Amino acid sequence: MARTVIVGGGIGGLAAALAVTRRGHRAVVLERAVTFAEIGAGIQLAPNGLHALDRLGLGDAVRARAVHIDELRFMDGVSGAHVASLPLTGVYRRRFGNPYVVVHRGELYGLLLDACRRSAAIELRAGARATGYRQDASGASVLLDGGEQVAGDAVIGADGIRSAIRRQLVGDGEPRVAGITVFRAVIPMERVPEELRWNAVTWWAGPGRHFVHYAIAGGRYLNLAPSVENGVTESFAGVPVDRERVRGAFAALDTTARRLLALGEDWKSWSLVDRDPVDRWTDGRVTLLGDAAHPMLHYAAQGACQALEDAVVLGDLLDEDADTIPDRFEKYNAERRERTARITHTARASTRLWHPAGAEAKARNEMLSALSGTALHDQVAWLHGAREFGTAGARR
Ligand SMILES: Cc1cc2nc3c(=O)[nH]c(=O)nc-3n(C[C@H](O)[C@H](O)[C@H](O)COP(=O)(O)OP(=O)(O)OC[C@H]3O[C@@H](n4cnc5c(N)ncnc54)[C@H](O)[C@@H]3O)c2cc1C
């Protein structure tokens, strides 16, 4: 029975463990943190992410806990005018075969973790920080910072945007700082006035900035995520920030948007980072998955969905034969690079839609408001509607 060593116990690493063990492998997941846990608020899952979870046996459990969103609502953040809504009910669900949901990150992670714990083929090791890998014709091993080597037939680096495995395999340095700061706060729904509650992921688009909000945790909380292009050059994550600074950055937005922002407390800030897509993230018996392979701005709300898709495609390609691993990893990489690169570029380009001012914003509003529900569905079909997650799906 082949043994796969997975570096990183995030959403991607746990999904990979489930996927490879469904194909007869044993898996050990090495996580540098002292416990297996995920922090953070809500995570949007489009139908493609749920299809991947269905394939991992977790779709029903996620759908049962998630908020099923009715629309993606696009507002002119300066005038407060409703510009367009992409409906996510009836036709959308039938066409794409799953709903569009928001689930609490901790809940999604807990389901993946429980499934891993239930599997006799998966070993979970916390407090294990990888520094690199070694391989020869018959196997591959992960080096830990205490000097230990964890040996197996294959290595999957699912260790996130600053992956140690990627550093050795791709060697493309630090991530790109996008010059954008995102602020996040979560507020109990009972503090949100009735007239400001609706079941949508809502964008308020303004010059050089926008504000997104949606319900999480079964509708008990509202997640606020405004972001601004401020030319920030440093990378930072989860840094507390004064509420006045957040309000000041979005002072030009319409009254309703500002009322919602004013409800936020205990704000934290992140500078956004990603990487240019690369064609190759596989080296013999070693490959990458999730943010380690193709980190993207969260503007397409697809990073976790893509990690789940990776896991499914990789699992589908494997069999119990350890000798075929290099070949299967090559195929996985080839299947996934085009779709994930397209999404990375789409996420970057989204600021061109959300951040214009003046005449450009007016033209954008006219263009979006002229699109029917079906036309809007056509726009996202390649992304949300994918059920096969390889090259053919990327081109559709
Ligand atoms: C603000 C924000 C909002 C987002 N919203 C969405 C959304 O709505 N929908 C969506 O699909 N995606 C979203 N994403 C993206 C999503 O969160 C990520 O793409 C996803 O979590 C990546 O999972 P991963 O397992 O590949 O990496 P990570 O979650 O980064 O996990 C990597 C794991 O590896 C561990 N690790 C790191 N280095 C080592 C090492 N050397 N040795 C051992 N372990 C190591 C880490 O501790 C971590 O547990 C969002 C991201 C951000 C920042």
Side-chain angles (χ1 to χ4, degrees):
M1 192 188 271
R3 174 174 148 102
T4 302
V5 184
I6 298 169
V7 180
I11 290 168
L14 297 187
L18 293 175
V20 304
T21 51
R22 287 165 84 89
R23 306 296 286 186
H25 284 219
R26 281 177 298 132
V28 53
V29 184
L30 306 171
E31 168 55 48
R32 70 177 169 191
V34 289
T35 52
F36 280 78
E38 173 87 25
I39 48 166
I43 193 151
Q44 300 173 56
L45 297 173
N48 60 307
L50 284 167
H51 286 312
L53 285 163
D54 280 329
R55 294 286 312 283
L56 298 172
L58 294 173
D60 286 340
V62 172
R63 276 185 294 272
R65 285 163 180 78
V67 180
H68 294 227
I69 303 290
D70 286 344
E71 60 179 275
L72 302 181
R73 188 180 290 195
F74 193 87
M75 311 289 290
D76 184 311
V78 177
S79 69
H82 174 244
V83 175
S85 282
L86 188 156
L88 298 172
T89 51
V91 173
Y92 176 93
R93 288 181 195 171
R94 280 195 297 281
R95 177 167 173 184
F96 298 136
N98 245 316
Y100 189 105
V101 303
V102 175
V103 64
H104 195 280
R105 223 170 237 275
E107 282 183 332
L108 172 62
Y109 188 79
L111 289 167
L112 288 161
L113 189 58
D114 286 348
C116 287
R117 284 190 172 134
R118 280 198 304 272
S119 167
I122 299 174
E123 180 192 346
L124 299 169
R125 266 188 72 178
R129 178 191 290 269
T131 55
Y133 64 86
R134 282 200 192 128
Q135 65 176 320
D136 57 26
S138 62
S141 56
V142 170
L143 314 176
L144 298 185
D145 66 354
E148 186 188 344
Q149 284 194 37
V150 183
D153 299 293
V155 169
I156 299 174
D159 46 343
I161 190 163
R162 288 189 173 74
S163 162
I165 304 303
R166 182 183 179 116
R167 194 179 313 127
Q168 182 176 341
L169 199 159
V170 182
D172 58 350
E174 288 300 303
R176 180 194 76 112
V177 178
I180 302 173
T181 299
V182 60
F183 305 95
R184 305 197 104 193
V186 171
I187 49 175
M189 196 59 89
E190 62 263 21
R191 290 195 39 229
V192 181
E194 285 283 349
E195 72 275 17
L196 299 185
R197 296 183 199 178
W198 51 81
N199 185 17
V201 175
T202 305
W203 278 259
W204 302 85
R209 67 212 66 213
H210 72 274
F211 166 35
V212 175
H213 55 85
Y214 48 83
I216 57 168
R220 296 189 300 282
Y221 294 91
L222 189 67
N223 188 44
L224 309 176
S227 61
V228 58
E229 281 185 70
N230 53 6
V232 61
T233 54
E234 280 148 31
S235 165
F236 53 87
V239 177
V241 55
D242 192 74
R243 64 190 299 196
E244 295 312 322
R245 200 179 134 214
V246 180
R247 286 192 198 189
F250 298 90
L253 294 193
D254 153 80
T255 338
T256 309
R258 280 187 286 119
R259 269 180 78 199
L260 281 162
L261 275 171
L263 298 170
E265 288 171 2
D266 300 327
W267 287 97
K268 293 206 171 58
S269 60
W270 284 257
S271 98
L272 295 187
V273 288
D274 67 0
R275 290 182 186 275
D276 290 332
V278 291
D279 280 344
R280 284 194 62 79
W281 64 67
T282 293
D283 169 21
R285 294 176 172 273
V286 184
T287 195
L288 303 175
L289 179 147
D291 277 7
H294 41 66
M296 49 188 70
L297 300 183
H298 72 283
Y299 287 168
Q302 279 285 332
C305 294
Q306 292 311 304
L308 295 167
E309 288 190 7
D310 284 348
V312 167
V313 171
L314 186 58
D316 281 353
L317 285 165
L318 292 177
D319 55 27
E320 288 179 35
D321 182 358
D323 292 339
T324 61
I325 286 169
D327 187 39
R328 304 301 166 114
F329 277 6
E330 284 293 335
K331 287 202 173 96
Y332 150 74
N333 190 154
E335 282 291 315
R336 294 293 294 152
R337 65 180 163 226
E338 200 175 321
R339 175 164 169 82
T340 52
R342 184 175 176 192
I343 301 170
T344 304
H345 290 305
T346 300
R348 282 185 189 174
S350 63
T351 57
R352 294 209 294 272
L353 190 68
W354 300 346
H355 291 180
E360 240 187 292
K362 189 163 173 275
R364 182 248 352 249
N365 291 352
E366 284 166 7
M367 182 274 290
L368 280 179
S369 59
L371 294 175
S372 65
T374 306
L376 287 164
H377 291 166
D378 291 345
Q379 295 287 320
V380 298
W382 70 276
L383 185 57
H384 294 185
R387 298 176 203 224
E388 307 297 327
F389 311 124
T391 307
R395 295 204 180 109
R396 263 198 285 274

